[in-house]
Amino acid sequence: MASEQYASKTWKAARTRVTQAIAEIREQYAKAAPRPTEHEPVDPPVPADLLNLLCRIGVALVGAGETSARVQVILDKLSRRYGTANIHFMVLPTAVFVRVRTDNSSAIDMLDARVGTLPLDQIDGLYRLIDQIEQDAPPPSRASRDLDKILTQKPGSPPWLILLGQVVLTVGIGMMLNPGARALVGYVVLGLVVGVLTQLADKVRLLSMALPVVASAVVAVLAYGFPGALAGGQPQQLLIPAVATLLPGAMLTNGTIELATGSMVAGASRVVYGINMLFLLALGSYVGISVLGPLSDPPVSSAQLGWWAPILGVLLIGYGHSWRSSAPQNTVGWLLLVLYITYAAQVLGKHVSGPLTGTFLGGLVAVNAAYLIQGRKHAPPTQVAFLPAFWMLVPGGISLTGISDLVTHSLSGVSTGGLEVLVSALLSVMSIALGVMVGSGLATAHAPRVSTIIDTVVPHHLPWVHTAQTTKKSDSDS
């Protein structure tokens, strides 16, 4: 018993000495090497309002239809204009990332880029603001307020004019692709239906998510349900003009350009999104045709409009697109000029070597024509002048036509080659993307020399553009 008590006291004493020794060691270590204090986070050497402005401009440029690489170039130029060289951008179709380097670390920020396609008047204001920043470098807070005014302004066209523009645009595209006399009624009716659905989708979120399927299904039901009254016995000719504004042409073309230039993430996401949109449109056509049951063969009308129909169609496309997309005032003349130059190049290429050459030349010439009109009175920015011509080429048209053929043939029991359809879709998109890339390279490389030549050909203001502002300025000067 005594031995056990002695052992217990010895253990307690040893434990006490070890505890005291550890405490002394800790105290000595704390005095010899004091614990470093935590530094408070240091703000990046770039004003927050400047970062916010650059991110928002990048998001707006994505909505204006620019490629990711082009947006990065513009943002880099603007950041250097404000005297900052430590900002790096990464632009994706759905987000804009900003990295600011400091001496010891870096800060990263992002902004969601899901803005949809901007109307032409907002695109015009955006590029004019960018020009103003490059020239004067206004305070970022003031530039942000100007950007707010641009992006929150109401469309220049009222709802009824936007609807009328949709109808006129549909008729114009139809007269270019299929100038059938009996199909004009179908173009008007289906353009009106798609225009109403599009405006309803802006207010009903559920419809906006299902708009491609719903619109193509309704178009298919009307076209194939009333083939004689609306299409002259050729209902398939109505599908493309009716849903032309829903075709993912810009998405597929920009994606192809980005893949070719090394922007693999942005390009792959755009291409996948565009292909998905095409198949949603085809699904809607399949559902609409399936609802009708067995299809009959109505008598086909061979009545065609004259050689003037496509030329008039280009005019209707210009006015329809300007009304539907709220083009800036006094720019319709310049838009029509670019449209007719693009159409002439497309027709020339088609006659020389086929449709793919036509779309290639159309994309090439459209970019250069948009660059050449810069600096003239009331001329819109390059992107505003280019977009209507780009949509006239309908880069996704061949793809949807092929998929629609697959749908109708499968319903009628006729086999068709799916591989041929996919190859045709890929080639059509690549041809216009290649044309745009080559055209952009030529325009930026030879802009001064070509501009000097064009000054002697194209007037600085078009005769059908009113000169009220010029007159007012002259009166004030006098």
Side-chain angles (χ1 to χ4, degrees):
M1 180 63 105
S3 62
E4 293 180 357
Q5 292 180 352
Y6 176 77
S8 175
K9 291 180 179 180
T10 303
W11 169 249
K12 290 181 179 179
R15 187 174 61 180
T16 301
R17 287 195 296 270
V18 170
T19 303
Q20 291 176 352
I22 293 176
E24 291 177 358
I25 292 173
R26 287 180 175 177
E27 184 178 357
Q28 292 175 1
Y29 178 79
K31 292 180 179 180
R35 189 176 182 181
T37 58
E38 295 183 357
H39 296 282
E40 295 184 359
V42 179
D43 293 334
V46 177
D49 54 355
L50 176 58
L51 285 179
N52 180 64
L53 172 65
L54 294 176
C55 285
R56 295 185 61 204
I57 290 179
V59 170
L61 287 171
V62 172
E66 290 281 9
T67 61
S68 299
R70 176 62 180 165
V71 175
Q72 290 180 206
V73 170
I74 295 176
L75 293 181
D76 288 337
K77 186 184 299 183
L78 295 181
S79 66
R80 289 194 300 269
R81 182 64 181 87
Y82 278 106
T84 58
N86 58 340
I87 305 179
H88 300 273
F89 301 94
M90 179 180 179
V91 181
L92 297 176
T94 56
V96 175
F97 294 85
V98 182
R99 175 174 174 262
V100 181
R101 294 184 303 174
T102 61
D103 295 335
N104 300 323
S105 62
S106 62
I108 299 177
D109 196 5
M110 66 154 304
L111 187 62
D112 187 3
R114 298 175 185 177
V115 294
T117 303
L118 298 178
L120 293 180
D121 54 353
Q122 292 186 4
I123 297 176
D124 178 83
L126 172 64
Y127 282 93
R128 297 189 187 281
L129 175 61
I130 292 174
D131 291 340
Q132 180 184 357
I133 293 175
E134 292 180 352
Q135 294 177 2
D136 304 329
S141 57
R142 193 181 79 186
S144 295
R145 289 193 299 269
D146 295 339
L147 183 61
D148 285 333
K149 294 179 182 179
I150 293 171
L151 299 180
T152 58
Q153 67 182 4
K154 294 182 179 180
S157 300
W160 65 267
L161 188 58
I162 295 177
L163 183 60
L164 178 61
Q166 175 72 38
V167 175
V168 173
L169 179 61
T170 303
V171 175
I173 295 176
M175 294 181 70
M176 280 190 58
L177 300 180
N178 176 42
R182 295 286 301 277
L184 292 178
V185 177
Y187 297 146
V188 173
V189 173
L190 296 182
L192 181 63
V193 170
V194 173
V196 171
L197 289 175
T198 302
Q199 293 196 14
L200 288 177
D202 294 335
K203 302 178 181 179
V204 182
R205 178 172 176 79
L206 182 60
L207 178 59
S208 65
M209 294 187 293
L211 181 61
V213 178
V214 173
S216 58
V218 173
V219 167
V221 168
L222 294 176
Y224 285 89
F226 306 94
L230 297 180
Q234 299 179 2
Q236 69 276 7
Q237 301 292 341
L238 299 179
L239 297 180
I240 302 303
V243 298
T245 55
L246 301 178
L247 291 174
M251 192 68 66
L252 288 171
T253 303
N254 284 345
T256 304
I257 294 174
E258 288 168 342
L259 288 175
T261 55
S263 301
M264 291 179 288
V265 176
S269 60
R270 288 185 194 270
V271 170
V272 171
Y273 179 88
I275 293 176
N276 178 70
M277 183 70 70
L278 283 177
F279 278 99
L280 287 177
L281 292 169
L283 174 63
S285 299
Y286 181 87
V287 171
I289 297 173
S290 300
V291 169
L292 297 175
L295 302 177
S296 59
D297 294 328
V300 178
S301 174
S302 59
Q304 296 286 320
L305 300 176
W307 58 268
W308 48 267
I311 299 176
L312 178 60
V314 176
L315 179 67
L316 296 178
I317 289 174
Y319 276 99
H321 206 292
S322 63
W323 294 338
R324 180 184 180 275
S325 300
S326 302
Q329 294 183 354
N330 304 325
T331 60
V332 179
W334 294 112
L335 298 183
L336 289 175
L337 178 62
V338 176
L339 282 170
Y340 276 110
I341 294 175
T342 304
Y343 174 70
Q346 184 182 11
V347 172
L348 176 63
K350 184 176 180 180
H351 283 292
V352 170
S353 183
L356 293 180
T357 304
T359 54
F360 168 77
L361 286 181
L364 187 151
V365 171
V367 176
N368 286 274
Y371 270 98
L372 292 179
I373 66 173
Q374 297 306 299
R376 278 122 195 115
K377 188 173 180 60
H378 298 299
T382 302
Q383 189 74 355
V384 176
F386 168 71
L387 284 177
F390 176 79
W391 279 108
M392 186 183 65
L393 297 174
V394 193
I398 298 178
S399 307
L400 185 59
T401 302
I403 296 174
S404 301
D405 290 340
L406 284 176
V407 172
T408 55
H409 289 164
S410 63
L411 289 174
S412 59
V414 179
S415 61
T416 185
L419 181 60
E420 181 182 355
V421 171
L422 295 178
V423 171
S424 176
L426 180 62
L427 291 179
S428 63
V429 172
M430 292 183 65
S431 64
I432 193 171
L434 182 61
V436 172
M437 285 191 296
V438 174
S440 300
L442 293 175
T444 55
H446 302 289
R449 179 177 61 84
V450 176
S451 180
T452 304
I453 298 175
I454 204 67
D455 283 337
T456 63
V457 180
V458 180
H460 281 269
H461 66 276
L462 297 181
W464 53 81
V465 175
H466 69 78
T467 57
Q469 296 179 357
T470 305
T471 305
K472 183 178 181 180
K473 184 178 180 180
S474 301
D475 295 339
S476 62
D477 294 340
S478 60

